[in-house]
Amino acid sequence: MHISPLTGICASSLGVALLLIVYAFVRGSKGLRSYIVTRVLLTLPMVLILVSVIFFVMRVIPGDPVTSELGPRGTPQAKERMREQLGLNDPIMVQYVKYLGRVVRLDLGTSLVQGNRPIVDELSERLPATLELVVPAMVVAVGFGVLSGTFAADRRKRPSDYGLRLFSITVYSMPIFWLGLILQVIFGVGLGIMPVAGRIDAIVNTTLDRYTNLLVVDSIITGNWAALGSSLHHLVLPVLTLGLALTGVFVRISRINVIESLVEDYILAARARGIRERVVVYRHALLNALIPIVTLIGLQFSVLLAGAVLTETTFSWPGMGLYLVERIGQRDYTAVQGVITVFAMSVAIISLLTDIIYAFLDPRVRY
Amino acid sequence: MANNTLLNIENLSVEYKTRMGWVSAVDDVSMEIRQGEILGLVGESGCGKSTLGKALLRINPPSARISGHLWFHGEDLMTLDDEAMRQIRGQRISMIFQDPMTSLNPIQRMGDHLIETILTHEPEVGKEEARERAAALVDRLGISSNRLDDYPHQLSGGMRQRVMIGLALALNADLIVADEATTSLDVIVEAQFVELLKELRDEFNLTILLITHNIGLVAEISDRVAVMYAGRMAELSDARSVFKETLHPYTQGLLKAVPNIQIDDDEELYMMGGSPPDLVEPPMGCRYHPRCPKVMPVCAAEPSHFLESKPDHFVNCWLYEDIPAEYADKELSE
Amino acid sequence: MRKLSYALIGLLIVVLVVGCAPSQKAEDMKTVIIGTTDEISSLDYSDAYAVHDWELMRNCNIGLTNYKPGTAEIVEGVADSWDISDDGLTYTFHLADGWKYPDGSALKAEDFVTTVNRALALEGDIHGVVATYVASVEAPDDKTVVFHLVNPRGDFPQIVSMGPFMPTKAGAYPEDELNRFPDKLVGVGAWQITEYDPAEQVVLEHNPNYKLGFSDTAPDRVIVRYFEDATAMALAIENGEIDVAWRILGPPEVQRLEEVDGLTVINTGGGGIRYLVPNHAMAPFDDVNVRKALAALVDRDEIVDRVMKGTVDPLYSMVPPGFLAANEEFLTMYNAPNIELAEELLTASGYSADEPLTFDLWYPPEHYGTHAAQIFQVLEEQFEATPMIQVTLQTQEWGTYIHALTDGEYPIGYLGWFFDYPDTSNYLDPFADSVASPSMGISYANDTMDQLLRDAGASTDVAEREQLYTDAQILYAEDVVTIPLTMEPEHVVLIDAKVSSVTIGPALVFNYELIELK
Amino acid sequence: MSDQNHDVLVQVKGLTKHYPIQQDFISRLLSAEEAKKVRAVDGVEFDIRRGEVFGLAGESGSGKTTVGRLVLRLTDPTEGDIIFDGVNIARLSNEDMRQMRARMQIIFQDPFASLNPRMRIGDGIGHGVKIHSDATATERRTVVETMMEYVGLTPAKLYYEKYPHQLSGGQRQRAVIARALVTRPELVVADEPIAMADVSVRALLLELMIRLKEDFNLTYLFITHDLATAKYICDRIGIMYLGKLVEVGDLRDVYTHPSHPYTDALLEAVPVPDPESRHEKPLPKGEIPNPIDPPSGCRFHPRCPLAVDVCSEIEPELRPVEGSTGHLAACHLTTGDYRHLAPK
């Protein structure tokens, strides 16, 4: 069987999710276990509902894919042939069942434009690019946001607190493409130390063998250090842009949550035990504050995808978000359906994981 | 000063900044805590007893203004830097808080609280050894050591309070400040707790400052009793003297106002007039004088002093102090 | 926590150091990186019908004829000569010796037959174009290709330079289906595509057996990098990440890059034109006087200067400069703005200031760029310079607009055109030929015009074609079939330090082997 | 068990409240047992006579607060009857109950939490009048100010305008009492009304509550964990343990002759403010168990110093204590059939 990066990524992310779930299952209490089982089982109907909604919505939105693809000059025969090819002549329930069957096999059909490539192939190129951008951006946003939010909370009403709050409001309210453009102009064109477009240097790219389409991973497994350097180098600005745009929320939320937990009795009690101040703030207060933040991470996922579209445009980053926008413009019906399906499934997995992590982090939650 | 003084509090004052102004929560308090005793510190809410307790560990909020001296093993704690003070906390002076539910980190396992405390102060101890010590400790406190991995919410109220004691005992601190440690407990559990505290005191030669509003509890357990009113020390002596040879009018009223379980007497509860003062603008002179049945002209004008009126029985009242001449006349004229 | 933050800081430093360190890979190859916002739609010769696809194909392969670099002039390609039958229906091409594929195999006449037959047999995008001209093709021997045409075509030598007339080795593509994304793209041209990362880049390396050879200043390798938008591409060339930026830079990018030191911006002319589409089948534009009046009122310079800030050129014939017979008949005939002439014409048709000519003028709000609204405000002002005209501007989203316009539902609209193949006929036939015209929303029909265009199409004599097309353009302007407005130039931007020159002609053929490096 | 000599205002019969435990549907699917529930109140019976103060005491988790809410039908009982002045309010429709509510009021433990911080004290007190009568604003104000004077919030005109945070703890509790009494109810359920007050204020509040009872002909259900305070106000008292009433009777009888080991332990555990009479008796072991899975037989048996085998097997019923009509206890060894097993 041909394993595309898409199937690989789907399989490995499911694997990671599974590992996490198994870990929580083994380490967790009895209540947590039954919660995990329930939550996992509930995910299946949730995905089914999501996928079904996509299917039916795609069929009720105005605009006949055949007409929009072939244009007004399309001959009736060509239209008929295309309907046949897309399976649009079947009764809707038959189409629905066939569609579900294909989704299970990760067969998302073929594009209506761009040489009718299989959507799976196209997403195999696009999804890794987006992942490579989004995952470190989220890490930057969460890592930097949470740490600096905690730092600000610890130094409440001092200059560094005001500075960080000003910073968070600024990056939060700044349009992403504008932020990206500023970084490009400063670090790229101005200082000339950062590339402004693409995932990797064009010349280095010719030396890189692709397996996963995650360039960092590919360059590591092939030992191509020049490619690793170049792809990391290219990651810096886009990741910073998307990361910064998301950071604002995390700074603010962590600051507020840490401030709230810093006035809790157990903080005073920990101080009274002579626990070091840094430990009090970063372990006791922050870990408690993290619980609501985990939920926020899940909720920010959709914002992240929206932000990814803008970042991808700004940095010519050939990812999913850009692909979706491009294909909506081209009325590429199957591609749009495929992208949304993959998005929906990843939202389902992310929300499953955040729910489980939340339950795992907070021992008080009994289910 | 007696030889067996563990901690000597000298002219301690604590003020808080509030929106209304500076609140004089503790005003010029001096007293000593003796090695091996249980000193009960009683008073009504807002009298400054908790503030005093926190001041001993210097864990009042940053907005507080503290002055005075805390002599502990020949050192003035007030002069220590933050790091040195941190090392005192938990290791030399530890604290038990009022609400064990909120005073334990909800996402930290019971054992980890103990292990963390041990490792913080004794980094040379291995993690395994710390865990063994924690296990032995909770075992002594009557909790099965296989509950070390439980989270606070999985423990009962009494167990949580025992864990709090365990945290205070973990490093054999010289002084334990128990701040309303039984308030959230039911009577039977409270009684069990008091019993345990007494046992532990004998076993580990602890010194305990028991801060509470529950006068019955103080009577049950304390060696000496200190009574605070409106930020000032009112009376201090051994328990029997305070309860049986009460000097201060406030203490007298307080004791009469305490409900009693004994059914044989049908006496009415004493109703103290007025209400505790606003500490932003405390009354002039003796802070109790607006409510005091034995008020004298001097009381409204000049603060009295905390003096040893009988051997080892301190009281802060003009009744037991020589009244300055100008007020003495007035009293006669009235 | 401290350990974690140290680890994070450490990681960041590693990223920066590794990232900023110059690539250690020793590059002996002289590589040119060309940026583009185009994308590959198909690399199957029997299918591809997009400008960028053909650009890659022309670099990797050569048809029987070819454009002389930098011009729209047709010269020999792999054929060194060709014969035309008297009836103009049979073309016989004779292959020159020495053309070889990268693997060393020699070019055969059969290779042309393969491509054309696949194009005829399969439902590729190019199918219609080939089927319009070619009835059949054969290779009587290894050196001879014979085409039998549907109708006589004088421009057939131009046509055989296009994608579906390029040679493919037997077996390179499946016989019965299209393969739009083959692993490699090879031909007998200067280059071969050795690597393709969709949406990222295409790598072209030398065809070692290229008959014409390479100059010393030519690059050893060309990488075409794909950009999602023009802003990013402009920043990338400014930042030195690409050496050449080519298609499609918007006016704001061009304006900005012209100011940047170390970059050269070259206007290559272009094939894209914009024009007004009067509907000859609907009042009031069924009246030639009305059409003429508008032609007399349109001030192209004002649009170019005031709205487009000089980023486009005025267009006075549907045939842009550089193509055979291109002239400026709309300028000489109407000399706009000419209000007196317009009022005269309108009065003749019975309009007056009291009973003015009123019509809806349609345009799509975004499809042709953000300037559309401004252009139409200016046009409205220009038309309403006479009190005898009252214009109502109307807009409609592109999807609906294009259908309504081509279905003849609007009295007058606005469209752009880009050549299918670079020949004068492609700028006149679609609009003025009575068969094609209705499908463009024009519905013009004039027997004289039809005759002129068909004669010109069938003629094989250049001088004769030139004369016929000149006459056709005069008639076109007289009848005001459409009103040409502007021409979109293409720009190529070079990094001075690396690239001395590139060769791109009006046919927009960019031969990478003719890039001169410093 | 109701004594016909007395005018009974509230009669509670077989009062039971079980809360189902939230379980996810998978566990419910998988577990064969019936759904678990918290047995907060389990078959409680008592009378409250008109004009008396009936105390209900016990540790947290004993169900006393739930009983208080059930008596007012602030929550609906799972089983049992609550007969208020001859009407079984456990079965009343919501509309009928709403009208009945004017006759009963509750005073909560935490005066801060039960006063709307954004409402002036006077308006807060008058809120009930607004709901239950159609008095005009001026009439309402007069009623409220009269009641405020009564509870000692004087001058009423001044306090009317204040907000809760501007009052001391004792004053807030007075306001809460005034709010409960302003509609002139017959029954007042006072749920730990003075637990938050300081010692010096507590006596004043107790005195106030007693005075109001006399003046307004009130009947109190006084819920408390503090047996010492209860002594000063209650006429009769019921002791609850784990959802059960274990002893009930005249306060004096119960305090002087506790007939259930749990009552005994409770009384014994109350600290006495006299350093010379420190208590010596052994305390019951452990803590009050989880009401989800109460012990079999007598629910107190695992902690009872007297327990014998039968205590874990048979659940004792409330029975009269020997020599007393109104004093009942539920213990095999003191009032039941197994008295012979009691350790001497």
Side-chain angles (χ1 to χ4, degrees), chain C residues 25-40:
Chain C
K25 180 90 183 159
E27 279 301 331
D28 301 332
M29 290 176 117
K30 289 179 289 176
T31 304
V32 167
I33 305 170
I34 301 171
T36 178
T37 61
D38 269 330
E39 58 191 354
I40 295 177

PDB file of all heavy atoms in Angstrom, chain C residues 25-40:
ATOM      1  N   LYS C  25      27.005  23.622   1.889  1.00  0.00           N
ATOM      2  CA  LYS C  25      27.026  22.856   0.647  1.00  0.00           C
ATOM      3  C   LYS C  25      27.795  23.638  -0.427  1.00  0.00           C
ATOM      4  O   LYS C  25      27.383  24.721  -0.850  1.00  0.00           O
ATOM      5  CB  LYS C  25      25.567  22.644   0.220  1.00  0.00           C
ATOM      6  CG  LYS C  25      25.381  21.871  -1.038  1.00  0.00           C
ATOM      7  CD  LYS C  25      25.262  20.393  -0.749  1.00  0.00           C
ATOM      8  CE  LYS C  25      25.154  19.611  -2.071  1.00  0.00           C
ATOM      9  NZ  LYS C  25      25.529  18.223  -1.860  1.00  0.00           N
ATOM     10  N   ALA C  26      28.875  23.104  -0.860  1.00  0.00           N
ATOM     11  CA  ALA C  26      29.656  23.778  -1.904  1.00  0.00           C
ATOM     12  C   ALA C  26      28.884  23.698  -3.210  1.00  0.00           C
ATOM     13  O   ALA C  26      28.464  22.639  -3.643  1.00  0.00           O
ATOM     14  CB  ALA C  26      31.009  23.090  -2.065  1.00  0.00           C
ATOM     15  N   GLU C  27      28.629  24.864  -3.769  1.00  0.00           N
ATOM     16  CA  GLU C  27      27.815  24.892  -4.978  1.00  0.00           C
ATOM     17  C   GLU C  27      28.694  25.232  -6.173  1.00  0.00           C
ATOM     18  O   GLU C  27      29.075  26.378  -6.376  1.00  0.00           O
ATOM     19  CB  GLU C  27      26.693  25.913  -4.822  1.00  0.00           C
ATOM     20  CG  GLU C  27      25.518  25.385  -4.040  1.00  0.00           C
ATOM     21  CD  GLU C  27      24.900  24.146  -4.667  1.00  0.00           C
ATOM     22  OE1 GLU C  27      24.967  23.993  -5.907  1.00  0.00           O
ATOM     23  OE2 GLU C  27      24.369  23.312  -3.923  1.00  0.00           O
ATOM     24  N   ASP C  28      28.996  24.241  -6.939  1.00  0.00           N
ATOM     25  CA  ASP C  28      29.761  24.503  -8.152  1.00  0.00           C
ATOM     26  C   ASP C  28      28.835  24.976  -9.268  1.00  0.00           C
ATOM     27  O   ASP C  28      29.259  25.598 -10.224  1.00  0.00           O
ATOM     28  CB  ASP C  28      30.484  23.236  -8.612  1.00  0.00           C
ATOM     29  CG  ASP C  28      31.404  22.742  -7.522  1.00  0.00           C
ATOM     30  OD1 ASP C  28      31.871  23.591  -6.731  1.00  0.00           O
ATOM     31  OD2 ASP C  28      31.624  21.521  -7.455  1.00  0.00           O
ATOM     32  N   MET C  29      27.569  24.625  -9.094  1.00  0.00           N
ATOM     33  CA  MET C  29      26.643  24.940 -10.170  1.00  0.00           C
ATOM     34  C   MET C  29      26.248  26.405 -10.101  1.00  0.00           C
ATOM     35  O   MET C  29      25.976  26.919  -9.023  1.00  0.00           O
ATOM     36  CB  MET C  29      25.392  24.082 -10.038  1.00  0.00           C
ATOM     37  CG  MET C  29      25.627  22.627 -10.345  1.00  0.00           C
ATOM     38  SD  MET C  29      24.098  21.733 -10.018  1.00  0.00           S
ATOM     39  CE  MET C  29      23.747  21.138 -11.628  1.00  0.00           C
ATOM     40  N   LYS C  30      26.230  27.036 -11.279  1.00  0.00           N
ATOM     41  CA  LYS C  30      25.690  28.397 -11.326  1.00  0.00           C
ATOM     42  C   LYS C  30      24.172  28.275 -11.394  1.00  0.00           C
ATOM     43  O   LYS C  30      23.630  27.800 -12.385  1.00  0.00           O
ATOM     44  CB  LYS C  30      26.211  29.120 -12.575  1.00  0.00           C
ATOM     45  CG  LYS C  30      27.687  29.477 -12.490  1.00  0.00           C
ATOM     46  CD  LYS C  30      28.140  30.170 -13.763  1.00  0.00           C
ATOM     47  CE  LYS C  30      28.194  29.180 -14.931  1.00  0.00           C
ATOM     48  NZ  LYS C  30      28.530  29.810 -16.224  1.00  0.00           N
ATOM     49  N   THR C  31      23.543  28.637 -10.311  1.00  0.00           N
ATOM     50  CA  THR C  31      22.095  28.445 -10.229  1.00  0.00           C
ATOM     51  C   THR C  31      21.382  29.780 -10.285  1.00  0.00           C
ATOM     52  O   THR C  31      21.805  30.735  -9.637  1.00  0.00           O
ATOM     53  CB  THR C  31      21.731  27.733  -8.923  1.00  0.00           C
ATOM     54  OG1 THR C  31      22.457  26.526  -8.855  1.00  0.00           O
ATOM     55  CG2 THR C  31      20.243  27.450  -8.842  1.00  0.00           C
ATOM     56  N   VAL C  32      20.318  29.827 -11.043  1.00  0.00           N
ATOM     57  CA  VAL C  32      19.465  31.008 -11.038  1.00  0.00           C
ATOM     58  C   VAL C  32      18.113  30.600 -10.460  1.00  0.00           C
ATOM     59  O   VAL C  32      17.574  29.560 -10.830  1.00  0.00           O
ATOM     60  CB  VAL C  32      19.281  31.561 -12.468  1.00  0.00           C
ATOM     61  CG1 VAL C  32      18.149  32.575 -12.495  1.00  0.00           C
ATOM     62  CG2 VAL C  32      20.564  32.212 -12.924  1.00  0.00           C
ATOM     63  N   ILE C  33      17.632  31.416  -9.530  1.00  0.00           N
ATOM     64  CA  ILE C  33      16.325  31.129  -8.951  1.00  0.00           C
ATOM     65  C   ILE C  33      15.335  32.159  -9.469  1.00  0.00           C
ATOM     66  O   ILE C  33      15.530  33.366  -9.319  1.00  0.00           O
ATOM     67  CB  ILE C  33      16.379  31.174  -7.416  1.00  0.00           C
ATOM     68  CG1 ILE C  33      17.467  30.213  -6.919  1.00  0.00           C
ATOM     69  CG2 ILE C  33      15.023  30.819  -6.820  1.00  0.00           C
ATOM     70  CD1 ILE C  33      17.769  30.366  -5.449  1.00  0.00           C
ATOM     71  N   ILE C  34      14.316  31.645 -10.146  1.00  0.00           N
ATOM     72  CA  ILE C  34      13.307  32.526 -10.725  1.00  0.00           C
ATOM     73  C   ILE C  34      12.047  32.396  -9.881  1.00  0.00           C
ATOM     74  O   ILE C  34      11.540  31.301  -9.667  1.00  0.00           O
ATOM     75  CB  ILE C  34      12.986  32.121 -12.178  1.00  0.00           C
ATOM     76  CG1 ILE C  34      14.264  32.196 -13.027  1.00  0.00           C
ATOM     77  CG2 ILE C  34      11.884  33.005 -12.755  1.00  0.00           C
ATOM     78  CD1 ILE C  34      14.094  31.616 -14.399  1.00  0.00           C
ATOM     79  N   GLY C  35      11.561  33.519  -9.390  1.00  0.00           N
ATOM     80  CA  GLY C  35      10.323  33.472  -8.609  1.00  0.00           C
ATOM     81  C   GLY C  35       9.125  33.753  -9.490  1.00  0.00           C
ATOM     82  O   GLY C  35       9.211  34.498 -10.467  1.00  0.00           O
ATOM     83  N   THR C  36       8.009  33.125  -9.156  1.00  0.00           N
ATOM     84  CA  THR C  36       6.785  33.385  -9.898  1.00  0.00           C
ATOM     85  C   THR C  36       5.583  33.159  -8.986  1.00  0.00           C
ATOM     86  O   THR C  36       5.659  32.378  -8.037  1.00  0.00           O
ATOM     87  CB  THR C  36       6.666  32.471 -11.133  1.00  0.00           C
ATOM     88  OG1 THR C  36       5.438  32.752 -11.778  1.00  0.00           O
ATOM     89  CG2 THR C  36       6.702  31.014 -10.771  1.00  0.00           C
ATOM     90  N   THR C  37       4.497  33.862  -9.278  1.00  0.00           N
ATOM     91  CA  THR C  37       3.267  33.583  -8.551  1.00  0.00           C
ATOM     92  C   THR C  37       2.355  32.678  -9.370  1.00  0.00           C
ATOM     93  O   THR C  37       1.247  32.372  -8.970  1.00  0.00           O
ATOM     94  CB  THR C  37       2.482  34.872  -8.231  1.00  0.00           C
ATOM     95  OG1 THR C  37       2.140  35.508  -9.449  1.00  0.00           O
ATOM     96  CG2 THR C  37       3.302  35.815  -7.373  1.00  0.00           C
ATOM     97  N   ASP C  38       2.839  32.269 -10.553  1.00  0.00           N
ATOM     98  CA  ASP C  38       2.096  31.293 -11.344  1.00  0.00           C
ATOM     99  C   ASP C  38       2.148  29.943 -10.657  1.00  0.00           C
ATOM    100  O   ASP C  38       2.841  29.764  -9.651  1.00  0.00           O
ATOM    101  CB  ASP C  38       2.757  31.148 -12.731  1.00  0.00           C
ATOM    102  CG  ASP C  38       2.140  32.125 -13.729  1.00  0.00           C
ATOM    103  OD1 ASP C  38       0.962  32.444 -13.564  1.00  0.00           O
ATOM    104  OD2 ASP C  38       2.863  32.547 -14.650  1.00  0.00           O
ATOM    105  N   GLU C  39       1.435  29.009 -11.228  1.00  0.00           N
ATOM    106  CA  GLU C  39       1.557  27.656 -10.700  1.00  0.00           C
ATOM    107  C   GLU C  39       1.443  26.666 -11.845  1.00  0.00           C
ATOM    108  O   GLU C  39       0.956  27.003 -12.927  1.00  0.00           O
ATOM    109  CB  GLU C  39       0.483  27.395  -9.656  1.00  0.00           C
ATOM    110  CG  GLU C  39      -0.918  27.581 -10.192  1.00  0.00           C
ATOM    111  CD  GLU C  39      -1.963  27.589  -9.090  1.00  0.00           C
ATOM    112  OE1 GLU C  39      -1.591  27.329  -7.944  1.00  0.00           O
ATOM    113  OE2 GLU C  39      -3.135  27.840  -9.386  1.00  0.00           O
ATOM    114  N   ILE C  40       1.922  25.479 -11.568  1.00  0.00           N
ATOM    115  CA  ILE C  40       1.859  24.451 -12.599  1.00  0.00           C
ATOM    116  C   ILE C  40       0.480  23.818 -12.575  1.00  0.00           C
ATOM    117  O   ILE C  40      -0.002  23.411 -11.525  1.00  0.00           O
ATOM    118  CB  ILE C  40       2.931  23.375 -12.346  1.00  0.00           C
ATOM    119  CG1 ILE C  40       4.322  23.990 -12.496  1.00  0.00           C
ATOM    120  CG2 ILE C  40       2.745  22.208 -13.309  1.00  0.00           C
ATOM    121  CD1 ILE C  40       5.437  23.021 -12.205  1.00  0.00           C
TER     122      ILE C  40
END
